[in-house]
């Protein structure tokens, strides 16, 4: 009589790939998650295929960073190379690439800065568009901009179309809140802002009405799929977005949500399997079609047994 189903096919696993390492580097604040070397991707792709997980969300950690984040759109960049390897290893595994500059900029912000250290929205759009085009050329199946600059979906759509990638969909991080739950991710991706925070471009956690406007703006600009992030503290937001659009809706069960469950489970305070399956089911119940989670492999295994 369950109204909501959860299956491995609903899940997306985020992957961190680092340039210039030989072996996986564990992320201290995310037990069970490592930064992977390029050489580990073939085996990873095979494991995911066997588990029935249809897609990965790719993040890159470059060897070098600079003021504009030029590693983000380098043809031989870490995400571009990782995409080629994953697609060669498992052509049916969907590669979703995260488009943002924060892993590539020396200052750690998601856009380029002006002389006062403020993010320049419009100057950043062109760089994001270039990044998206380079991902598509490397074989990415879906482009997922997470930077939260205004107008980025239109800029990316226009650039992809002009480059011949008219069939590549955009999964927009349409409702991304300025959340404390991204803390462990910033260790994993080495992307914490050196100064200031992201409240100038990410959303205010106190706002829910605004989310419908933000989402519909992205849809009007050409988003093919939309997202709410984080998931757990924002299930009401997820429900609102579900009611506002018929597009496929993703929810991102973020790093801090993962770390909380892992820590409690390691202390013996929580039944990890039961807590994770309950959480992922609740995210689906609130309206998500797609759940992006660091627990994806564990969950897929538990769902099979
Ligand atoms: C990049 C980005 C972030 C996350 C995904 N893409 C971090 C941030 O905005 O600081 C967070 C994901 C997570 O916490 O799992 N802009």
């Amino acid at each position: 009589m369950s109204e909501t189903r959860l299956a491995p096919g609903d899940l997306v696993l985020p992957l961190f790939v680092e340039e210039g390492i030989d072996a996986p580097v564990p992320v201290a604040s995310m037990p069970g998650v490592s930064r992977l070397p390029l050489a580990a991707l073939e085996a990873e792709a095979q494991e995911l295929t066997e588990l029935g997980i249809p897609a990965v969300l790719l993040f890159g950690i470059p060897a070098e960073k600079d003021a504009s984040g030029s590693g983000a759109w380098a043809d031989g960049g870490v995400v571009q190379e990782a995409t080629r390897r994953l697609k060669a290893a498992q052509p049916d595994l969907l590669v979703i690439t995260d488009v943002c500059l924060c892993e590539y900029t020396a200052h750690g912000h998601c856009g380029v800065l002006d002389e006062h250290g403020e993010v320049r929205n419009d100057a950043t759009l062109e760089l994001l568009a270039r990044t998206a085009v380079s991902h598509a050329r490397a074989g990415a199946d879906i482009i997922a901009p997470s930077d939260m600059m205004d107008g980025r979906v239109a800029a990316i759509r226009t650039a992809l179309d002009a480059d011949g990638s008219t069939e590549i969909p955009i999964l927009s991080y349409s409702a991304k809140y300025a959340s404390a739950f991204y803390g462990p991710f910033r260790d994993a991706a080495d992307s914490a802002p050196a100064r200031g925070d992201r409240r100038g471009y990410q959303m205010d956690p106190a706002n829910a009405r605004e989310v419908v406007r933000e989402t519909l703006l992205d849809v009007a600009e050409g988003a093919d799929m939309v997202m709410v992030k984080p998931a757990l503290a924002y299930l009401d937001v997820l429900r609102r977005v579900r009611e506002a659009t018929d597009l496929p809706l993703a929810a991102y069960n973020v790093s801090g949500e993962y770390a909380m469950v892992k820590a409690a489970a390691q202390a013996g305070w929580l039944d990890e399997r039961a807590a994770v399956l309950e959480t992922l089911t609740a995210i689906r119940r609130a309206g998500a079609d797609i759940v992006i989670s660091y627990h994806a492999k564990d969950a897929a295994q538990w769902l099979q047994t």
Side-chain angles (χ1 to χ4, degrees):
M1 304 298 278
S2 297
E3 296 171 18
T4 307
R5 301 291 164 120
L6 178 70
D10 305 324
L11 304 172
V12 175
L13 179 70
L15 282 185
F16 300 104
V17 183
E18 181 167 7
E19 201 167 36
I21 58 172
D22 300 323
V25 178
V27 179
S29 51
M30 301 178 72
V33 173
S34 293
R35 296 180 182 185
L36 299 178
L38 286 162
L41 293 178
E42 199 164 315
E44 186 74 20
Q46 166 136 18
E47 189 186 352
L48 292 171
T49 303
E50 281 161 12
L51 286 168
I53 295 172
V56 295
L57 176 59
L58 211 50
F59 295 94
I61 301 119
E64 311 268 342
K65 300 179 191 247
D66 59 25
S68 62
S70 63
W73 60 84
D75 181 45
V78 60
V79 163
Q80 291 78 357
E81 192 51 33
T83 301
R84 288 187 200 102
R85 290 193 188 214
L86 288 165
K87 292 307 293 181
Q90 293 290 339
D92 291 339
L93 181 71
L94 292 173
V95 174
I96 309 172
T97 55
D98 185 273
V99 170
C100 192
L101 301 184
C102 64
E103 298 97 341
Y104 303 88
T105 51
H107 48 72
H109 276 288
C110 302
V112 287
L113 304 182
D114 65 14
E115 62 277 21
H116 309 295
E118 298 288 332
V119 169
R120 294 175 63 202
N121 187 97
D122 292 7
T124 302
L125 297 180
E126 201 243 320
L127 306 181
L128 295 167
R130 237 190 259 182
T131 303
V133 166
S134 78
H135 290 180
R137 286 184 183 172
D141 296 292
I142 300 174
I143 299 294
S146 72
D147 53 279
M148 290 303 276
M149 299 301 126
D150 290 330
R152 85 281 172 84
V153 173
I156 289 171
R157 184 73 271 159
T158 303
L160 287 174
D161 289 354
D163 202 57
S165 292
T166 52
E167 305 297 319
I168 305 283
I170 296 175
L171 164 57
S172 176
Y173 283 67
S174 42
K176 178 173 174 182
Y177 284 87
S179 171
F181 290 98
Y182 307 151
F185 172 95
R186 293 176 189 171
D187 293 339
D190 190 26
S191 65
R195 301 176 58 179
D197 55 46
R198 304 210 202 287
R199 287 184 298 169
Y201 40 102
Q202 299 183 352
M203 290 177 59
D204 180 349
N207 289 1
R209 294 195 300 267
E210 185 185 12
V211 80
V212 173
R213 186 153 42 90
E214 282 277 1
T215 303
L216 296 182
L217 272 172
D218 281 11
V219 174
E221 287 181 28
D224 300 282
M225 294 170 247
V226 294
M227 191 193 299
V228 172
K229 170 186 177 182
L232 262 195
Y234 298 86
L235 292 177
D236 60 319
V237 172
L238 203 49
R239 171 53 56 185
R240 274 193 200 232
V241 174
R242 175 71 299 159
E243 284 165 4
T245 173
D246 292 329
L247 288 182
L249 172 57
Y252 198 146
N253 179 217
V254 299
S255 58
E257 302 172 26
Y258 175 85
M260 286 195 298
V261 175
K262 277 287 174 191
Q266 285 186 344
W269 296 339
L270 206 60
D271 175 341
E272 185 178 8
R273 174 183 173 137
V276 168
L277 293 178
E278 180 178 332
T279 299
L280 298 178
T281 302
I283 294 168
R284 295 260 300 129
R285 189 196 65 228
D289 302 300
I290 302 159
V291 186
I292 304 165
S293 175
Y294 302 95
H295 272 115
K297 285 205 270 188
D298 292 332
Q301 227 138 25
W302 293 326
L303 289 166
Q304 280 174 357
T305 52

